[in-house]
Amino acid sequence: MSASIHKYSFEYEEYDSIDAISPTNSHLVNEARKATQLSYAPYSNFLVGACAVLNNGEFVVGSNQENASYPVGICAERVLLASLGQLFPNEPIVSIAISYDNLKGKSDKPLSPCGMCRQALQEYENRVNQPIRLILSGMDGKIFIIPQASMLLPLSFSGDDLK
Ligand code: THU
């Protein structure tokens, strides 16, 4: 028996610094970097900030909110998505910039969203039927632009599987 081999790949953009991206995107990155200061992360000292811009032009931020009972803590991305679901239900998201301030070390490598957040981002894309562009960075250094959040989640589980 021979297996059929499948290959998954996607393209994303890499920029050397915030100076190399468009003014609209650099504004969003700066807002995400500022939002790190709203983080409550006394346990990890890893302050994550995210800023979304919506189709209607609104900007909304989120930050990670930790808890002494560690698993209770919520990542910045899911804090942001939960806010958006309440504030602007069903309004599509154009882009989300995510950044972090690592109080114990460097913050110059683009942040990569955790698996649970990738699942939550994919759900939002499906809900409003529009891809979310992710703009990933640290407080400085390279910036990655991913055209569609769900590209980070191959072979994913979604609502379609429940039909
Ligand atoms: N964190 C986020 O907020 N987003 C991510 O994508 C990665 C991790 C938070 C969770 C926790 O509060 C801290 O960063 C360290 O894992």
Side-chain angles (χ1 to χ4, degrees):
M1 272 227 308
S2 69
S4 56
I5 306 300
H6 300 264
K7 186 174 163 186
Y8 177 79
S9 67
F10 71 100
E11 291 184 356
Y12 65 98
E13 299 165 14
E14 178 183 309
Y15 296 90
D16 277 343
S17 80
I18 194 168
D19 303 326
I21 63 176
S22 71
T24 316
N25 288 342
S26 65
H27 176 67
L28 205 61
V29 169
N30 279 325
E31 292 302 305
R33 288 177 177 174
K34 266 196 258 168
T36 61
Q37 301 313 302
L38 301 170
S39 158
Y40 174 68
Y43 305 103
S44 70
N45 288 308
F46 192 82
L47 319 183
V48 184
C51 182
V53 61
L54 312 183
N55 279 17
N56 66 7
E58 294 281 349
F59 288 78
V60 179
V61 296
S63 60
N64 55 330
Q65 302 294 318
E66 296 187 349
N67 192 285
S69 174
Y70 293 179
V72 178
I74 314 176
C75 293
E77 296 91 323
R78 280 175 297 120
V79 168
L80 173 60
L81 293 175
S83 295
L84 288 174
Q86 291 294 315
L87 293 170
F88 299 103
N90 303 318
E91 183 67 21
I93 302 169
V94 178
S95 303
I96 299 179
I98 312 166
S99 191
Y100 66 99
D101 190 2
N102 179 8
L103 301 182
K104 296 170 302 188
K106 296 204 285 188
S107 308
D108 59 1
K109 175 177 166 268
L111 178 136
S112 211
C114 82
M116 196 183 275
C117 290
R118 293 176 194 210
Q119 183 76 24
L121 288 159
Q122 173 193 255
E123 184 78 26
Y124 219 95
E125 287 187 337
N126 292 344
R127 173 178 172 175
V128 301
N129 198 24
Q130 181 174 295
I132 301 170
R133 180 193 297 118
L134 294 182
I135 306 175
L136 308 176
S137 74
M139 295 309 267
D140 42 41
K142 286 192 192 301
I143 306 225
F144 294 164
I145 299 187
I146 320 276
Q148 182 170 351
S150 52
M151 288 177 169
L152 297 180
L153 202 61
L155 289 179
S156 64
F157 180 78
S158 77
D160 284 346
D161 295 302
L162 297 172
K163 285 178 185 153

